[in-house]
Amino acid sequence: MAKEIPPRQDMPRQPPKVRAANFKEVALGYSEEQALLEASRCLQCKTRPCVGGCPVEIAIPDFIKKISERDYAEAARILKEKNSLPAVCGRVCPQEDQCEKVCVLGKKGEPVAIGRLERFAADWEAMNHPSHQPSAEKRSNAKTGRVAVVGSGPSGLTLAGDLARLGHRVVIFEALHKPGGVLVYGIPEFRLPKAIVEREIEFIKSLGVEIRTDYVIGRILTIDDLFKEGFDAVYVATGAGLPKFMGIPGENLNGVYSANEYLTRSNLMKAYLFPEYKTPLKNGKKVAVVGGGNVAMDAARTALRLGADAVHLIYRRSRAEMPARIEEVENAEEEGIIFHFLVNPVRILGEVKENETGKWVRAIECIKMELGEPDESGRRSPVPVKGSEFTMPMDIVIMAIGTGANPLLSSATPDLPINKSGYIIIEPETGRTDKPGVWAGGDIVTGSATVIEAMGAGRRAARAIHEYIIKKHK
Ligand code: FAD
Ligand code: SF4
Ligand code: SF4
């Protein structure tokens, strides 16, 4: 008789009204009972299609089997063999487009909740072995080299962890005062608690990786200086953090932020605790967020938690074209974010306010859109509907329409090949650039992508750098 498969286990979450007023994590994680039920759904397929759907090829059926045997420590160990940030990926990976998309169960029903099980095992390990010491796996007998990593986001951290495990001495140079890249400055606490990122970074440090913060490469030292200091190889993982604006009138008014600045002030600089913390952030009662991706959802939900009465999300295409994860769109809707589809801003209107200097946002003027022919991305292009302009009063406007490559490092390294958008050109299988000894990966190569893709790039480059160093030291 065929195995009876229980339904996919829902993730318990804070109720919408409660969570919209706090920064605590929204999703609460599986109980042991739920994890066991969910793990029991896995068919342990011989062909293991789910493994191919994971950019770092986690042995998914194996770690799930260990969960169903209640051997959570072994499940966590299997995860960490391929993924140095499992508690992060279990929370923020777009699983529905990766491992879960190809799960056999998904063909006729609902796939195994692989990400949620990953989070369960990683959290169990953190709770039960908070000071996990990887000393036994720390150093192999490889000839050691010195590797400099520029940027401490998921790509740089993964590469650093992998090379440290192979016995190399790795130093990460980070421009900001805290390591973690977007994991700390971009993704908000209510989706990814910072204590979890810190714990995973501590694990990487425990492998012997050194992290130097407040260290901008391209200003304090150049890549060539790093070679002069004795590094054998350099991995560039500087992300794509340069905000884009629409180029409409009024974007220079006070009260207009890029999503990156808004989220960084809130997440990293604790602006919501001003004046206890030094960085201010204007708290608007009426907030507009422009964009339809995960960053727009994060900015809108942050504005709500910072005390806005109404947060309006303005997106020029329809709901079906939204690039944000469905789960995050649903979370935002439940919390009360007001969505305006097929609408695009045309200008931001300002006024002089009493006791304030300069001109401040007063309103946003938008135009209605309709969908035309598909563009080069395959999505139908939005076209303005003539004469349909309308105005909504606003105090704050947040632009979340994408980011680009920061030119700082590439302009200080003229022989590092970049494309016309400023992204570094690499050999895809290895991450090697045409500049000798320099590799690159993550968002600075692909443009804005995902945490796990950035980690996959770090893993591939680590293998290539290891081989390069072994050859060099022969
Ligand atoms: P980053 O994480 O951007 O890290 C780059 C680091 O390099 C930064 O710390 C930066 O300060 C540092 N740096 C830059 N220049 C220099 C320099 N010259 N010298 C020294 N250091 C430098 N992905 C998902 O998978 N799921 C999500 O839910 C998700 N949500 C997101 C939400 C937001 C708000 C944002 C902005 C992105 C989100 N992403 C998400 C995308 C994901 O975070 C990125 O794809 C990923 O972080 C890229 O990793 P990275 O290591 O390439 O770069
Ligand atoms: Fe799936 Fe991401 Fe975990 Fe890989 S890292 S198994 S893609 S959730
Ligand atoms: Fe389990 Fe799905 Fe992977 Fe099959 S495809 S082994 S059911 S997770």
Side-chain angles (χ1 to χ4, degrees), residues 428-472:
E429 297 79 37
T430 61
R432 194 175 61 85
T433 73
D434 275 351
K435 184 171 166 64
V438 179
W439 277 255
D443 281 7
I444 188 58
V445 167
T446 55
S448 257
T450 64
V451 170
I452 194 69
E453 282 169 303
M455 291 175 65
R459 166 132 309 145
R460 289 190 294 279
R463 269 186 225 135
I465 291 177
H466 176 62
E467 280 166 23
Y468 170 80
I469 290 174
I470 299 235
K471 256 194 210 153
K472 193 176 165 196

Side-chain angles (χ1 to χ4, degrees), residues 114-334:
I114 300 167
R116 292 172 184 178
L117 289 172
E118 182 169 348
R119 168 186 168 147
F120 172 80
D123 286 358
W124 182 92
E125 192 211 32
M127 255 176 354
N128 293 281
H129 298 281
S131 59
H132 176 72
Q133 287 301 322
S135 49
E137 57 185 339
K138 197 167 162 180
R139 298 216 173 268
S140 76
N141 294 324
K143 287 200 173 158
T144 59
R146 288 186 71 208
V147 181
V149 179
V150 189
S152 66
S155 200
L157 288 171
T158 301
L159 172 120
D162 283 9
L163 286 176
R165 277 196 184 95
L166 289 165
H168 303 288
R169 281 168 292 156
V170 185
V171 182
I172 302 182
F173 297 89
E174 168 54 51
L176 296 173
H177 62 274
K178 267 200 169 185
V182 171
L183 306 180
V184 291
Y185 81 73
I187 304 179
E189 181 79 15
F190 55 83
R191 268 204 314 126
L192 179 61
K194 298 309 150 225
I196 284 160
V197 183
E198 276 160 25
R199 190 176 78 205
E200 309 244 38
I201 290 174
E202 281 312 309
F203 171 76
I204 286 166
K205 280 174 42 187
S206 75
L207 295 167
V209 173
E210 185 192 338
I211 304 182
R212 294 187 200 161
T213 50
D214 293 318
Y215 217 115
V216 184
I217 300 298
R219 280 273 188 279
I220 301 176
L221 288 180
T222 63
I223 289 184
D224 290 330
D225 293 334
L226 292 172
F227 288 120
K228 283 183 204 140
E229 294 223 335
F231 286 101
D232 296 293
V234 176
Y235 181 62
V236 181
T238 45
L242 190 73
K244 286 186 186 158
F245 285 91
M246 293 184 72
I248 56 173
E251 272 181 315
N252 56 344
L253 289 167
N254 288 319
V256 179
Y257 292 95
S258 71
N260 255 28
E261 181 187 348
Y262 191 78
L263 290 168
T264 304
R265 280 173 183 254
S266 172
N267 293 334
L268 193 61
M269 297 168 175
K270 299 207 167 51
Y272 58 92
L273 295 177
F274 181 80
E276 197 185 319
Y277 282 77
K278 282 183 190 150
T279 310
L281 185 59
K282 173 87 176 155
N283 273 348
K285 288 295 163 202
K286 292 183 284 292
V287 178
V289 178
V290 183
N294 287 321
V295 181
M297 296 306 133
D298 283 346
R301 296 171 72 198
T302 296
L304 201 67
R305 284 159 174 79
L306 287 172
D309 290 339
V311 180
H312 299 259
L313 194 119
I314 298 172
Y315 181 52
R316 65 192 181 131
R317 291 184 155 103
S318 74
R319 177 189 282 269
E321 283 87 24
M322 276 185 113
R325 293 184 66 190
I326 296 168
E327 189 179 317
E328 298 310 334
V329 177
E330 286 170 1
N331 276 333
E333 256 181 338
E334 279 177 12

